[in-house]
Amino acid sequence: MRKTISILTLTFVFALLLTAYYSHHIGSLDGYKAGYEAGYREGYGVGYTYGNHTGFTQGYNAGFKSGNETGYSIGYRAGFSEGECAGYERGYEIGYSTGFKNGNLTGFNLGYESGYLHGVIDGAGRGFTIRDPTYKEAMNFVEIDQTDKNKYVERTYTCINFAADFKMNAFKAGYRCGLVYLEFPKGAHTLVCFNTTDMGLIFIEPQTDSIMKVDVGIHYWRDNGYLYLDDDTIVRYIIVW
């Protein structure tokens, strides 16, 4: 009898232990599942929110930078094109206006001087119309005259020929022009001059149309900016009108 009670007691205890273990196992599984689902939902929500915000911020920054650079580039090209066009048109207008004004003034002055001279010559003849020019008239004549275009030929067409042709052309234009003879220590040279009514005596090299400095003691070529190896010191000079 006592043995039977012991067996029943052991069986009951074992059953309790088995039931407790089973209940613990079932509870553990249910708790794990419930905790996993709750943790997953909460973690997913937090992670999604953070990830969405981070991704949005990074995407926005990258998109803004790219869009800003693209917009700047397109805007710059468009602005440059319009600015270039506007600048060209404005520059053309100003340049044309300035060029026209200067060209018109120069052409008028030269045309007036040339027409005036020809009018005097044609109207009064050449006999007694020779006169000393103003400095401006002299410079206009030098610009119009073509003597400097002639070719220098040794022993055939030299400085004396340039000077004589220039003087003759000035005479035909109604101006008194002087033939200037320079004497060097070992040589000589010929040029021309005008006695202008407002600036006085000016010397002109007819081979180049340059205004020259002439005085006893100076080096004719070197002191006037030309390269010359021989002694070109002016010993004396004579003007033949």
Side-chain angles (χ1 to χ4, degrees), residues 131-138 175-176 194-202:
R131 62 182 178 85
D132 290 326
T134 64
Y135 182 82
K136 182 179 179 181
E137 288 173 334
Y175 296 134
R176 190 172 75 114
F194 286 117
N195 187 23
T196 65
T197 59
D198 52 349
M199 299 291 289
L201 196 62
I202 59 171

Side-chain angles (χ1 to χ4, degrees), residues 23-95:
S23 297
H24 176 269
H25 180 69
I26 295 300
S28 177
L29 290 176
D30 290 343
Y32 176 82
K33 182 178 180 181
Y36 175 83
E37 291 177 352
Y40 178 83
R41 286 194 300 272
E42 185 173 351
Y44 179 84
V46 173
Y48 178 84
T49 300
Y50 179 76
N52 182 267
H53 177 72
T54 303
F56 176 83
T57 301
Q58 293 178 350
Y60 178 85
N61 290 338
F64 179 83
K65 181 180 179 182
S66 177
N68 183 267
E69 291 175 352
T70 302
Y72 177 85
S73 178
I74 295 174
Y76 178 85
R77 289 196 298 270
F80 180 86
S81 178
E82 291 184 12
E84 183 183 34
C85 182
Y88 174 83
E89 292 177 354
R90 181 58 178 162
Y92 180 86
E93 291 176 2
I94 295 175

Side-chain angles (χ1 to χ4, degrees), residues 10 36 39 43 47 68 79 84 120 131 144 199 212 220 223 239:
L10 289 174
Y36 175 83
N68 183 267
E84 183 183 34
V120 170
R131 62 182 178 85
I144 294 171
M199 299 291 289
M212 308 293 281
Y220 176 72
D223 289 346
I239 301 176

Side-chain angles (χ1 to χ4, degrees), residues 90-101:
R90 181 58 178 162
Y92 180 86
E93 291 176 2
I94 295 175
Y96 179 85
S97 176
T98 303
F100 180 84
K101 181 179 179 181

Side-chain angles (χ1 to χ4, degrees), residues 130-133 167 171 175-180 192-196 200-203 238-241:
I130 303 302
R131 62 182 178 85
D132 290 326
K167 178 178 172 65
F171 177 81
Y175 296 134
R176 190 172 75 114
C177 178
L179 194 72
V180 185
V192 294
C193 68
F194 286 117
N195 187 23
T196 65
L201 196 62
I202 59 171
F203 297 91
I238 301 172
I239 301 176
V240 180
W241 294 103

